[in-house]
Amino acid sequence: MAQDEIGITEEVTTGLSEELDKQMSIIKSFLEHLEYTLGKDKYSATKYDSFNALAYAVRDHLVERWLDTQQAYYNLDNKRVYYISMEFLMGRALGNSLINLDLWNDFKEAIDSLGRDFEAILDEEQDAGLGNGGLGRLAACFLDSMATMSIPAYGYGIRYEYGIFRQAIAEGAQVEIPDNWLRYRNPWELDRQEHLHTVKFNGRVITTIDKDSGKLVREWVDTDDVMAMAYDTPIPGYQTHTVNTLRLWSAKSSREFDLKFFNEGNYIRAVEKKMQSETISKVLYPADNVIEGKELRFKQEYFLASATVHDVLYRFQKMHKDFRMLPDKVAIQLNDTHPTLAIPEMMRVLIDLEKLEWEEAWEITRKTFAYTNHTILPEALELWPVWFFEQILPRHLQIIYEINDQFIKEVKAAFPDDPQRISRMSIVEEHWERKIKMAHLAIVGSHSVNGVAALHTEILKKELFRDFYEMYPEKFNNKTNGITQRRWLKMANPGLSALLDEHIGDGWTRDLYQLNKKLKPFAEKPDFVERWQKVKRKNKENLCRYIFKQNEIEVDPESLFDVQIKRIHEYKRQLLNVLHIITLYNRIKDHPQAEVVPRTFIFAGKAAPAYAAAKLIIRLINAVAEVVNSDPEVADRIKVVFLANYNVTLAETIFPASDLSEQISTAGTEASGTGNMKFALNGALTIGTLDGANIEIMEEVGKENIFIFGLTAAEVAELKERGYNPREYYNGNTELKRVIDMIATGFFSPGTPDLFTPLTDSLLNHGDHYMLLADYASYVSCQERVGELFRQKDEWARKAILNAAGMGKFSSDRTIKEYAEEIWGIKPVDIIPSAVEREH
């Protein structure tokens, strides 16, 4: 044999040997965790045991890198960002970890070789429902991007024992079921019992005079204390050695029980304090229509803020004693107003505990914090009654008053002839019930304020926070949201991912702009278009099977999948979608022989338990579905499906199968949206208003490749200023009038004719706040253009490819790069594998 052939043979043999060794190592780890960690053998192990054993085996790979990452951050003493969010909608971790570690194929082959179903084991994982929608999912995408880009970062949130409720549908109505996601073990988290911080509530503030300095000293005493205990979850980057940390706080009692009551035989009273303390981290979003729920929410926000501030300062003080260095080593990003109490908490610690002067503490605090605004709806901007502070956080109220006093002096100096501005900008709302405006506190206490889409940021600057922008123009900036392509394309849509890898390489997983550069030409290649269509068809068939399994509705995969999946809210206008469905239904009934593009309308989303109008919209969707789907004259042409319990895992099935993405909020109400990006990345065309990130998507994909309808934000404002009368549209459009009358008179609820009257009343008699009737005709007309294009299968596919190709801008990697460079001042840190890892 020739020498070069011998060399090749040895390389192949060595490669096969390494692959076999790797597979045996995975099998050994899996079986050892099954036996020694879980105490099970092949006879007693359930599928869920197999999932846990597999998760622990994967976690072992993470832990090595995790330790290297944390040690590197400590040794290098680099600046770090702390991302505080009340929500982290992480979804399943096992598949995501395997993809980011580049171990998917290795583990699949190893588990399959044992005769076990790898995919079935993955399906055993529960979604971690620590969020309700876009806010929490954005936070999860950001964690993925920060780790992938090697940004020194920590996420901070609450370890809710009960996440967002599980949604069931009974007789068309939403039923909320507690989501006890921690009922079984969570294999990804490690409890850090050594990381305990005391969080104080209630009590009173006493003021004394320091004998040496003669200064006033304020002390918060007689408090009710709760312990915050850390639970850490590793967050791996994609094809990098970086593994960052998500730290979630769990509330623990400062003592297990009161021995005095216990000895007296009063066992309930003995553990009462413990139960009250641990309620704080019990449930995500307690009902806010009762005062007890609002108070618990307020306590949750302070619990998160206080524990995080103390943890950040503890880590800082391990290396530094001079607090003036804090902004050089620490960046704290507030994900909306919920964590804003971290600002007065930081001031309290620096002034009361560390004895800094006010001016110095305030300068440090403002340079450390940054605030992201996620909403322009006035009702979503948090206002907390002053009496909450008086009872629960009395010291913080004093600090906020002082912050406000100093700020008002600034305003007076800058605008001496504008007394009305002082009232508008004050942190304290002085109406019949005094309240603290948390958004104002966040702006005043931060060095950066950013919106999450170009239009959203302009609305912040010109309308919502105009006074603040005029005073602090340098603070305001835009950071358009993004999504992680690793989860939302590579993992969620393996068929499309493989097609892209084959034709343009896999560089898009780290640089999504490669889609813009390389994918567009393939839209003109018939062979590629045909393969694209086959991938879409397979994804649609997969969703069809899910729909039949869950809803027992047969759906035609050849039909146009018209999809609106998001939180149910009036401003998101699921009701406008329903008006169009009923319009189509009427047209078919009036003209049974007319050609109609078959459509399947797919809805999913949860309504807040106390949000009556949103829950009624769900009932209407299901009532319309019952009529439409059971009508033989219509059923082959339109179907309506509401999929219960929308979560990340369900979204990963729906996005790849969708043809049309419904992004139809009233212009000027949606801050950004990220579902629009996930749809387009998976090859769906968008029908939408010029709202949120839809505008930027249109700019990237081209006006000719998106369906835009309706009033612009400026036209909405102008119409409202002029005087909007929804009855003019109702009386002026016979199709619209007929649809609303059908809903109002009980056509879809014959047993309870007035069931949906509150919805039609909101449109006709209460101002149609989100202007559905004004946009109805434009929307229906736009939907006609959708149907016409869908008949042209190849042209539809071409535009779908161009939509995916235009998504380069919408990676969360780009967003995080902008945050790191323009707000946080943080650079990536390359993590060098330890010797143990290299040998392994």
Side-chain angles (χ1 to χ4, degrees), residues 186-244:
N186 174 12
W188 303 108
E189 68 181 11
L190 284 89
D191 60 284
R192 306 296 194 186
Q193 298 186 25
E194 71 278 16
H195 288 288
L196 278 170
H197 296 288
T198 303
V199 180
K200 298 175 178 292
F201 296 98
N202 306 321
R204 59 195 177 91
V205 180
I206 58 174
T207 304
T208 58
I209 298 176
D210 184 77
K211 294 179 181 178
D212 297 327
S213 65
K215 295 179 179 178
L216 293 178
V217 176
R218 291 181 174 85
E219 190 178 358
W220 189 13
V221 298
D222 299 334
T223 55
D224 295 323
D225 296 349
V226 175
M227 307 307 295
M229 183 171 137
Y231 286 79
D232 289 354
T233 300
I235 307 296
Y238 178 72
Q239 294 185 351
T240 177
H241 202 73
T242 300
V243 176
N244 283 333

Side-chain angles (χ1 to χ4, degrees), residues 483 565-566 655 661 663 673-680:
I483 60 174
I565 51 173
K566 52 184 73 214
F655 284 122
S661 160
Q663 308 298 327
T674 54
N676 44 13
M677 304 167 192
K678 294 161 195 165
F679 276 115

Side-chain angles (χ1 to χ4, degrees), residues 344 358 384-390 393-409 426-430 433-437 441:
W358 177 277
W384 289 116
V386 163
W387 66 266
F388 267 24
F389 284 89
E390 290 172 338
L393 300 176
R395 178 63 182 125
H396 296 75
L397 182 61
Q398 293 177 340
I399 291 169
I400 291 169
Y401 280 160
E402 181 62 25
I403 290 171
N404 196 48
D405 287 346
Q406 299 292 335
F407 171 62
I408 292 303
K409 290 175 185 176
S426 174
I427 295 169
V428 183
E429 184 175 87
E430 302 281 359
E433 183 185 32
R434 300 182 85 203
K435 294 181 179 179
I436 302 299
K437 298 184 248 185
L441 178 59

Side-chain angles (χ1 to χ4, degrees), residues 29-216:
S29 177
F30 171 76
L31 294 176
E32 285 183 347
H33 278 300
L34 198 61
E35 183 174 359
Y36 299 114
T37 307
L38 302 172
K40 294 292 183 78
D41 58 22
K42 64 180 181 179
Y43 303 107
S44 59
T46 64
K47 275 187 182 177
Y48 195 72
D49 291 325
S50 294
F51 156 70
N52 275 299
L54 185 57
Y56 284 127
V58 173
R59 196 182 77 175
D60 290 345
H61 287 263
L62 290 173
V63 167
E64 295 172 355
R65 303 179 185 207
W66 199 7
L67 295 173
D68 285 346
T69 302
Q70 303 313 310
Q71 193 59 47
Y73 292 166
Y74 180 81
N75 292 340
L76 295 171
D77 189 29
N78 44 272
K79 187 175 184 179
R80 310 174 207 185
V81 61
Y82 300 94
Y83 194 86
I84 315 180
S85 178
M86 284 291 283
E87 296 185 31
F88 285 96
L89 197 55
M90 302 301 292
R92 293 174 174 176
L94 180 51
N96 190 68
S97 296
L98 286 170
I99 284 175
N100 281 9
L101 291 168
D102 202 18
L103 291 173
W104 179 284
N105 291 335
D106 295 326
F107 269 78
K108 185 180 188 318
E109 289 172 8
I111 298 305
D112 285 348
S113 73
L114 291 172
R116 298 171 190 261
D117 187 336
F118 178 72
E119 304 288 346
I121 291 174
L122 293 185
D123 281 339
E124 288 294 309
E125 184 170 9
Q126 301 292 311
D127 271 48
L130 304 181
N132 184 34
L135 184 78
R137 187 51 235 173
L138 179 78
C141 284
F142 278 6
L143 290 182
D144 178 88
S145 286
M146 285 188 277
T148 297
M149 301 177 71
S150 299
I151 300 294
Y154 296 77
Y156 278 99
I158 294 179
R159 182 179 178 266
Y160 303 103
E161 184 177 334
Y162 292 87
I164 186 67
F165 61 87
R166 291 182 62 82
Q167 180 195 56
I169 301 297
E171 297 182 351
Q174 171 178 290
V175 178
E176 300 95 23
I177 302 168
D179 176 30
N180 188 3
W181 73 287
L182 288 172
R183 179 187 297 113
Y184 307 109
R185 69 181 74 226
N186 174 12
W188 303 108
E189 68 181 11
L190 284 89
D191 60 284
R192 306 296 194 186
Q193 298 186 25
E194 71 278 16
H195 288 288
L196 278 170
H197 296 288
T198 303
V199 180
K200 298 175 178 292
F201 296 98
N202 306 321
R204 59 195 177 91
V205 180
I206 58 174
T207 304
T208 58
I209 298 176
D210 184 77
K211 294 179 181 178
D212 297 327
S213 65
K215 295 179 179 178
L216 293 178

